[in-house]
């Protein structure tokens, strides 16, 4: 049995969870249109739907919450967050937002015009949708290795820099209002990006005068991977590595619900005074005054403390160790996953587990539904439901290369025995994999369809 570093905390408050019967699970799924987002959370035993906003806050964060200053403008909480932001990220300007997608919306509203392209290694769903909502074209230029689930490489989130340069020359820098990179690469297995790659990507964007933004919600996990895997970084702290990462960029946005260890929050940061002016105006329209941006003062304080806790080395060793533990339990049993295990989640490879189901029969949806029906465990499909779309030019159905189910680990929430239970249920499911049925979509909205689509088994 693989082991991981013990939790660098002990449990002071508990939240009961319950395992309902298989019959009750079936009824719950039918009522939810077989969409796991439609379930009542209390009908889920181990909820691995997302690591976003689902973490446990520390005593330090709860204490900071009591100090929250709820002044509309210029609150002390804002200045405490500002100080932290300056130390870690080093951008000249920032605004708080209520979560990551609000930052994406504001940036897209200001910079994206119809027909423009936004390259990245891989955009996540909300980023992609916010760009599309403004008529833009999100373009994924991750290295080919990212699509080989068993390839053992340290930085499978890296962007293909040659492809990026060719792409910029092909569409012209004037049609790229900003370039991006996602750390870690959530849509591609939670895989990290190396400092060398970040440096080359920044150089490519800058050579063509394109501002470079980092979608940085898991930047601390990425920094720890760099420390563990990239030559020359073993003796640096996660903070020093993070500072080096952000020094390369012109801005960043963050869903603080991840590595800032809060239940709600985010930010958009930048170097340009001109952009900051426009962002502030848009923020006032959509989110709130620039010193609170849609959050309560106490949320800003929780974020200021959580950002530091998220960079703590013993926490990061436990965090990545826990994800690796679940991954190794599955690999030892021959269950196909994206290898090596990522930072925040294990990505089950439904495509390889269910070769009898083609893309159109939604193998990821099939596996995610079976996991709930079998063990009341909730994951999320990251495959043709989330990323399939109809090409606006050809009318053709486009499917992603990988059909995955992501099991995201909330931060500081589950213990090793919870993970053992998850592994046991999955290993049992593997035995009956060939009998799993496909699904068809009976309803889907035009954007971000996975949240509210309805399904039926085929
Ligand atoms: C890489 C990435 N970017 C952006 C977002 C959007 O953040 P939020 O859910 O806070 O709106 C997420 C959320 O999962 C994400 O993983």
């Amino acid at each position: 049995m693989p082991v991981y570093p013990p939790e660098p905390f002990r449990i002071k408050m508990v939240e009961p969870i319950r395992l309902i019967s298989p019959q009750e699970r079936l009824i719950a799924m039918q009522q939810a249109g077989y969409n796991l987002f439609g379930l009542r959370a209390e009908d889920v035993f181990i909820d691995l739907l997302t690591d976003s906003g689902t973490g446990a806050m520390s005593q330090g964060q709860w204490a900071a919450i009591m100090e929250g200053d709820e002044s509309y403008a210029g609150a002390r909480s804002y200045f405490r967050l500002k100080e932290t932001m300056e130390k870690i990220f080093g951008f000249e300007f920032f605004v708080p937002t209520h979560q990551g997608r609000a930052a994406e919306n504001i940036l897209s509203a200001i910079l994206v015009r119809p027909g423009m392209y936004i390259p990245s290694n891989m955009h996540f769903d909300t980023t992609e949708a916010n760009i599309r909502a403004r008529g833009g074209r999100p373009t994924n230029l991750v290295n080919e290795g990212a699509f080989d689930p068993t390839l053992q490489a340290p930085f499978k989130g890296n962007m293909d820099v040659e492809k990026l340069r060719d792409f910029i020359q092909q569409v012209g820098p004037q049609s790229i209002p900003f370039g991006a990179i996602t750390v870690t690469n959530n849509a591609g297995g939670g895989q990290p990006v190396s400092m060398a790659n970040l440096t080359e990507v920044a150089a490519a964007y800058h050579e063509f005068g394109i501002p470079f933004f980092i979608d940085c919600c898991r930047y601390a996990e990425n920094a720890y991977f760099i420390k563990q895997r990239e030559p020359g970084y073993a003796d640096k702290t996660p903070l020093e590595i993070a500072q080096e990462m952000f020094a390369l960029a012109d801005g960043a946005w963050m869903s603080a619900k991840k590595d800032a260890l809060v239940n709600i929050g985010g930010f958009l940061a930048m170097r340009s005074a001109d952009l900051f002016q426009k962002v502030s105006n848009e923020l006032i329209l959509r989110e709130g005054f620039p010193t609170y941006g849609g959050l309560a003062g106490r949320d800003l304080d929780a974020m200021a403390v959580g950002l530091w806790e998220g960079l703590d080395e013993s926490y990061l060793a436990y965090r990545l160790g826990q994800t690796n533990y679940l991954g190794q339990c599955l690999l030892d049993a021959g269950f196909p996953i994206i290898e090596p295990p990522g930072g925040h989640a294990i990505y089950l490879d439904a495509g390889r587990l269910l070769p009898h189901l083609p893309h159109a029969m939604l193998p990821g949806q099939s596996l995610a539904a079976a996991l709930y029906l079998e063990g009341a465990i909730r994951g999320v499909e990251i495959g043709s439901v989330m990323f399939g779309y109809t090409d606006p030019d050809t009318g053709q159905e486009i499917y992603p290369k990988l059909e995955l189910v992501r099991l995201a680990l909330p931060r500081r929430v589950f213990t090793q025995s919870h993970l053992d239970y998850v592994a046991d249920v999955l290993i049992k499911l593997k035995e009956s994999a060939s009998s799993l049925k496909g699904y068809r979509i009976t309803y889907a909205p035009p954007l971000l369809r996975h949240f509210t689509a309805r399904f039926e088994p085929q």
Side-chain angles (χ1 to χ4, degrees), residues 208-244:
F208 294 96
I210 299 167
F212 171 36
F213 277 74
I214 305 181
D215 177 355
C216 70
C217 57
R218 299 182 183 85
Y219 78 98
E221 291 171 7
N222 199 85
Y224 200 68
F225 275 123
I226 289 177
K227 181 178 171 73
Q228 287 178 320
R229 298 183 181 174
E230 193 161 351
Y233 288 92
D235 295 331
K236 297 210 163 148
T237 63
L239 172 64
E240 286 166 337
I241 297 170
Q243 287 165 335
E244 194 176 326

Side-chain angles (χ1 to χ4, degrees), residues 52 99-101 104 124 126-127 182 186 215 217-218 253 255 257-258:
S52 181
Q99 59 185 89
R101 73 197 67 181
E104 292 165 353
F124 199 57
T126 55
T127 326
T182 312
N186 189 8
D215 177 355
C217 57
R218 299 182 183 85
W253 72 87
S255 167
K257 299 166 75 173
K258 283 83 169 175

Side-chain angles (χ1 to χ4, degrees), residues 50-53 97-104 122-128 130 181-187 215-218 253-258 263-266 344 347 406 451:
T50 175
D51 64 323
S52 181
T97 59
H98 80 273
Q99 59 185 89
R101 73 197 67 181
E104 292 165 353
M122 288 176 92
H123 293 283
F124 199 57
D125 59 352
T126 55
T127 326
E128 191 171 300
N130 270 300
I181 200 161
T182 312
V183 300
T184 57
N185 181 17
N186 189 8
D215 177 355
C216 70
C217 57
R218 299 182 183 85
W253 72 87
M254 176 170 189
S255 167
K257 299 166 75 173
K258 283 83 169 175
N263 302 124
I264 196 73
H344 66 295
Y347 292 65
R406 186 190 70 182
F451 287 119

Side-chain angles (χ1 to χ4, degrees), residues 109-339:
I110 294 168
L111 295 180
V112 180
R113 297 286 167 266
M116 285 183 161
Y117 296 89
I118 319 296
S120 186
N121 47 354
M122 288 176 92
H123 293 283
F124 199 57
D125 59 352
T126 55
T127 326
E128 191 171 300
N130 270 300
I131 293 167
R132 284 195 200 285
R134 304 285 166 184
R137 293 165 190 236
T139 308
N140 293 335
L141 299 173
V142 73
N143 74 92
E144 272 306 304
F147 301 111
D148 179 349
T150 57
L151 177 78
Q152 302 297 320
F155 293 104
K156 285 171 85 174
N158 281 357
M159 212 158 163
D160 185 328
V161 182
E162 209 172 305
K163 257 199 223 162
L164 173 62
R165 284 177 183 280
D166 290 349
F167 182 78
I168 298 172
Q169 274 159 335
Q170 183 200 324
V171 302
Q174 71 288 349
S175 56
I176 304 180
F178 68 95
I181 200 161
T182 312
V183 300
T184 57
N185 181 17
N186 189 8
Q191 300 290 324
V193 177
S194 70
M195 190 71 81
N197 189 251
L198 284 164
T199 308
E200 284 181 42
V201 167
Y205 283 135
H206 289 155
E207 185 184 316
F208 294 96
I210 299 167
F212 171 36
F213 277 74
I214 305 181
D215 177 355
C216 70
C217 57
R218 299 182 183 85
Y219 78 98
E221 291 171 7
N222 199 85
Y224 200 68
F225 275 123
I226 289 177
K227 181 178 171 73
Q228 287 178 320
R229 298 183 181 174
E230 193 161 351
Y233 288 92
D235 295 331
K236 297 210 163 148
T237 63
L239 172 64
E240 286 166 337
I241 297 170
Q243 287 165 335
E244 194 176 326
M245 285 162 58
F246 293 109
L248 296 164
D250 302 291
W253 72 87
M254 176 170 189
S255 167
K257 299 166 75 173
K258 283 83 169 175
D259 280 358
L261 293 161
V262 287
N263 302 124
I264 196 73
F267 67 74
L268 174 58
M270 67 227 84
R271 299 200 190 283
S272 157
D274 178 51
L275 181 61
F276 176 62
Q277 187 71 64
K278 292 180 180 139
V279 163
S280 299
N281 294 341
E282 188 71 20
L283 190 89
I284 290 169
L285 191 63
R286 312 252 168 234
E287 290 276 292
F289 192 71
T291 60
Y292 75 87
L295 293 170
R298 55 183 169 270
D299 299 326
L300 305 177
D301 271 307
M303 211 200 293
V305 175
L307 280 165
W308 289 116
E309 291 182 2
L311 282 169
D312 180 80
E313 279 203 50
S314 58
Y315 158 75
L316 285 167
Y318 139 77
R319 168 78 180 150
L320 299 191
Q322 191 180 49
T323 311
N324 188 54
Y325 173 80
L326 177 59
Q328 291 306 326
C329 289
L330 295 175
L331 285 171
D332 288 350
F335 196 104
I337 64 167
I338 300 268
E339 297 175 47

